[in-house]
Amino acid sequence: MSEKTRIYLQPWPIRIWHWINASGIIILILSGAQIRFPETLSIFTSYKSAIEVHNTAGIIVSISFSFWFFYYKMVKNTLDKLYIPDEEDIKHGLVRQLLYYCFWYFLGRPSPYHATPDHKFNPMQKSAYLAVMFVLMPLVGLTGILLLNVTPLRVLVLMWGGIKFIVALHFLLACSLLAFLCTHVYLATLGDYIKPMLIGWEEVEEHEEAEVPPEVAIPGYRPVRHYPEYEQALLEQRHS
């Protein structure tokens, strides 16, 4: 037997940021594709319009990225906890979550990780967001700023290898961002991840399980009966 309970997972500032950021990235991808392949694509009215839209969307995404960083680092002070995998994530969580996405989900087994307001992301999400938000997005933004200001930043452009190298790097980074976006949307369909980003609340099932002492419980990992290896993780933590 299981009962559902509601938790407030996504506060309204993050929901607004998420959809502004998502819309901006989609516009960047579409306009960037037309800029890269002008003979093939004509999504916007003209090549010049595509450039203007691309630059405007880039500025908006950069501002929203700054807001995201400020909110989690300065306001909530939870940036490190949310986005940096801990020892448990690396030792057990990554493999467990990968097996869930690849196999266990299709066998009807529940996710081994259950989000809470203080621990929103499973180990794979943490690793992916760490790479995207702290490496990929800053590099895309930096190369975009250099391309937007080639003349005033001529010295930096040359230091980075010249305009052709920066254009190629910017394109490859954008392709990586597109690959992440497609994966992100697909994995969001494997659970109730879209609804909380719309209304803030998520419904989670509370299974009838043996009580776990708070001093040995691992945040985010509920000892569901379908995952006996969790008990071993608890024993290891208990005796460490």
Side-chain angles (χ1 to χ4, degrees):
M1 297 290 294
S2 64
E3 296 182 356
K4 288 189 175 182
T5 183
R6 299 177 78 213
I7 58 173
Y8 190 61
L9 198 60
Q10 303 292 353
W12 65 265
I14 293 303
R15 301 201 304 273
I16 293 175
W17 163 81
H18 177 273
W19 294 113
I20 291 176
N21 194 60
S23 301
I25 289 176
I26 292 173
I27 293 173
L28 281 172
I29 291 172
L30 294 176
S31 58
Q34 180 171 338
I35 294 171
R36 184 69 176 182
F37 307 105
E39 301 85 1
T40 306
L41 298 175
S42 182
I43 301 172
F44 301 91
T45 55
S46 65
Y47 183 78
K48 181 179 180 181
S49 297
I51 293 177
E52 292 176 350
V53 170
H54 194 77
N55 293 342
T56 302
I59 293 172
I60 292 174
V61 170
S62 298
I63 294 174
S64 75
F65 179 85
S66 302
F67 168 80
W68 165 84
F69 185 85
F70 176 81
Y71 180 82
Y72 274 127
K73 188 65 179 178
M74 304 300 179
V75 178
K76 303 295 289 185
N77 195 27
T78 56
L79 190 69
D80 298 346
K81 180 192 297 184
L82 288 177
Y83 288 91
I84 299 179
D86 56 27
E87 183 180 357
E88 170 62 24
D89 293 330
I90 297 172
K91 288 174 60 178
H92 304 284
L94 283 172
V95 175
R96 186 186 294 127
Q97 200 68 35
L98 179 62
L99 289 173
Y100 168 74
Y101 282 138
C102 294
F103 303 105
W104 294 337
Y105 171 81
F106 302 100
L107 297 176
R109 297 173 70 177
S111 174
Y113 193 89
H114 297 264
T116 67
D118 295 326
H119 299 86
K120 296 182 183 181
F121 307 128
N122 66 54
M124 287 193 66
Q125 287 176 316
K126 282 184 181 181
S127 302
Y129 295 155
L130 181 66
V132 170
M133 299 304 289
F134 293 93
V135 179
L136 188 58
M137 287 291 290
L139 284 177
V140 171
L142 181 57
T143 53
I145 291 173
L146 292 176
L147 293 174
L148 186 61
N149 302 275
V150 174
T151 301
L153 299 178
R154 181 174 178 273
V155 175
L156 289 177
V157 171
L158 293 175
M159 287 176 59
W160 273 65
I163 187 71
K164 289 185 177 180
F165 175 79
I166 295 177
V167 168
L169 178 61
H170 189 72
F171 176 72
L172 291 176
L173 292 169
C175 289
S176 301
L177 192 59
L178 175 60
F180 165 77
L181 181 62
C182 295
T183 306
H184 180 67
V185 172
Y186 168 70
L187 293 179
T189 64
L190 299 186
D192 191 15
Y193 297 116
I194 299 177
K195 187 177 179 181
M197 199 53 75
L198 291 173
I199 64 174
W201 294 89
E202 179 180 13
E203 290 186 348
V204 296
E205 291 187 354
E206 292 294 335
H207 296 266
E208 292 182 358
E209 307 285 353
E211 290 293 326
V212 179
E215 64 271 13
V216 299
I218 302 172
Y221 291 89
R222 182 161 50 77
V224 292
R225 56 186 174 275
H226 304 274
Y227 295 90
E229 63 270 25
Y230 183 89
E231 297 179 6
Q232 181 62 33
L234 287 177
L235 289 174
E236 290 178 3
Q237 182 172 344
R238 186 179 301 170
H239 294 95
S240 61

